[in-house]
Amino acid sequence: MLLPRALFTSLFSLGLAVALPTAIPDHPTTLFTRQDVQSAINASLPNVTIFATGGTIASQGTSNTQTVGYSVGLGVQQLIDAVPEILNISNIAGYQVSNVGSGSINETILLRLNELINIELAKEDVAGVVVTHGTDTLEETAFFLQLVVNSTKPVVCVGAMRPATALSADGPLNLLQAVTLASAPNAVGRGTMITLNDRIGSAWYTTKNNANSLDTFYSTEAGQLGFFINQVPYFYFDPALPVGLTQFDLTGVTDLPMIDILYAHQDMDPGLFNSSVVNGAEGIVLAGVGAGGISARASIAAEAVYNATGVAMVASHRSSDGFVPSSEGGFAIASGFLNPQKSRILLQLSLALGYSNEEVADVFAATYPAPVAAAMRKRR
Ligand code: ASP
């Protein structure tokens, strides 16, 4: 039964209208050792570890033509079993970290990936790691790992757009390419990468562009890092890291602050900024119109909330690409080239480490082109 809006509003203000889940059930992390995964370890091959989290790559439909509405459920061992070729190029160990659609990836899973991947890459005999993940939020986990993994070894995030049961499922070849990349000497020193559909992109810039089609991951302005030809990775450039990369050490961090993203549009509700803070947001990212804009009314409301609470605000863009320059008004930090979902992660990690708003502004400014960052410093 639908409640009349006025009744719902008053029930909600009393905390009676909806019961929100308090916590998503935790998934125990399971390890499949190299001895579990392959009958014989080949000492001449590199060691790669797969961290499986779920997504379409681990999903099955009820028929081979079903490409929406399937369900997640395949474990890491089944992913490996579907591509026995990966055991010809590497010795594989696997962690089942979660098995969820990527919309449900949360701070618990991210912090576990941070801890396990840093431990794994510190082992001398591990060449690189692969994270299997749903494509919907893959760019967020990849960007998070870019910021927190302290290693020059390859971290490769991979998914699939078609479930394992579909005609022309893309998961198996994507996984083979990801494992190849994780153990490729020419992939070292390039940070976290995203690979699907033969393309290799930087986690810093790559984003999902199409909700359905196979060829969905692109970084429009920055371009791709490389490409697979006959399962061999080729790179267009020598290894380089993104401009302005800040590395975060999350040792001792047990939770991440709540950061909301508010989507700007005509007639945006100015009360959303206050609602976010009342609901516990410690930072707000605006997916602004154009280069980070909002209506005059919403801007006044946002500034009032900022002045009253000091909650950090970052202005990004709802357009799929572009640059948000630093704002004259001064209360919102400009996201530069980062889209809202990546801005959210950078803000979240900065606040998790207790940075002041000035320090957060510096973290973002480091990602701007040098003259913009210098001009901004002068204004402060
Ligand atoms: N629903 C899926 C996810 O977990 C979509 C995908 O993996 O392509 O993101």
Side-chain angles (χ1 to χ4, degrees):
M1 184 194 71
L2 283 179
L3 295 176
R5 190 188 158 120
L7 177 59
F8 182 86
T9 308
S10 54
L11 286 176
F12 188 80
S13 64
L14 293 171
L16 298 174
V18 276
L20 294 173
T22 45
I24 293 167
D26 201 13
H27 189 286
T29 298
T30 323
L31 167 65
F32 298 82
T33 65
R34 286 179 220 292
Q35 285 75 11
D36 293 336
V37 172
Q38 47 260 292
S39 46
I41 291 184
N42 181 340
S44 66
L45 295 179
N47 294 325
V48 171
T49 304
I50 297 176
F51 294 82
T53 67
T56 296
I57 194 167
S59 294
Q60 289 175 298
T62 50
S63 75
N64 63 3
T65 52
Q66 187 184 8
T67 53
V68 289
Y70 41 81
S71 43
V72 188
L74 297 176
V76 64
Q77 183 69 62
Q78 288 161 297
L79 296 186
I80 297 164
D81 290 346
V83 199
E85 291 78 4
I86 61 179
L87 300 178
N88 299 333
I89 57 167
S90 54
N91 301 305
I92 298 286
Y95 280 93
Q96 190 73 50
V97 179
S98 62
N99 216 354
V100 294
S102 68
S104 295
I105 297 287
N106 57 20
E107 62 172 339
T108 310
I109 299 168
L110 290 178
L111 289 172
R112 196 175 299 153
L113 285 173
N114 160 60
E115 192 185 343
L116 293 174
I117 291 177
N118 273 306
I119 291 172
E120 202 64 10
L121 291 180
K123 295 177 186 164
E124 240 170 70
D125 64 347
V126 172
V129 302
V130 169
V131 179
T132 61
H133 198 288
T135 60
D136 291 346
T137 69
L138 188 147
E139 65 187 90
E140 293 172 52
T141 296
F143 187 67
F144 171 85
L145 294 174
Q146 169 76 81
L147 297 170
V148 301
V149 171
N150 181 16
S151 174
T152 57
K153 294 177 186 174
V155 176
V156 183
C157 296
V158 66
M161 290 298 288
R162 291 185 183 143
T165 42
L167 286 172
S168 321
D170 51 332
L173 192 59
N174 286 346
L175 183 61
L176 176 65
Q177 293 184 344
V179 170
T180 305
L181 193 58
S183 54
N186 60 350
V188 170
R190 296 179 187 274
T192 301
M193 289 164 281
I194 291 176
T195 187
L196 263 95
N197 213 30
D198 298 329
R199 300 182 196 282
I200 306 165
S202 157
W204 191 269
Y205 289 113
T206 301
T207 189
K208 183 173 178 178
N209 285 305
N210 189 299
N212 316 99
S213 93
L214 223 58
D215 197 13
T216 177
F217 281 94
Y218 273 94
S219 66
T220 320
E221 297 298 340
Q224 302 292 322
L225 297 181
F227 195 75
F228 278 89
I229 300 173
N230 211 12
Q231 316 330 321
V232 177
Y234 291 93
F235 287 97
Y236 302 121
F237 309 102
D238 286 337
L241 290 174
V243 170
L245 170 64
T246 300
Q247 216 52 70
F248 295 86
D249 179 351
L250 295 187
T251 309
V253 172
T254 53
D255 52 31
L256 299 174
M258 173 176 149
I259 311 290
D260 279 350
I261 298 178
L262 301 182
Y263 196 95
H265 50 84
Q266 293 179 348
D267 268 335
M268 180 185 190
D269 177 0
L272 288 175
F273 292 89
N274 189 49
S275 304
S276 268
V277 174
V278 168
N279 280 336
E282 294 176 51
I284 295 174
V285 174
L286 175 73
V289 296
I294 35 172
S295 70
R297 280 179 69 223
S299 178
I300 290 166
E303 187 162 10
V305 171
Y306 176 77
N307 289 336
T309 64
V311 163
M313 298 194 190
V314 172
S316 182
H317 48 76
R318 67 176 201 179
S319 310
S320 61
D321 220 331
F323 180 77
V324 174
S326 51
S327 69
E328 292 295 330
F331 72 94
I333 297 162
S335 73
F337 294 110
L338 298 175
N339 67 19
Q341 53 275 33
K342 295 189 195 226
S343 300
R344 178 182 161 277
I345 302 233
L346 192 57
L347 176 59
Q348 188 178 45
L349 290 175
S350 303
L351 295 180
L353 292 193
Y355 291 8
S356 67
N357 286 359
E358 278 277 296
E359 289 167 325
V360 177
D362 286 341
V363 166
F364 276 86
T367 71
Y368 307 160
V372 180
M376 200 201 80
R377 265 196 302 277
K378 241 163 123 198
R379 270 216 303 276
R380 277 213 243 131

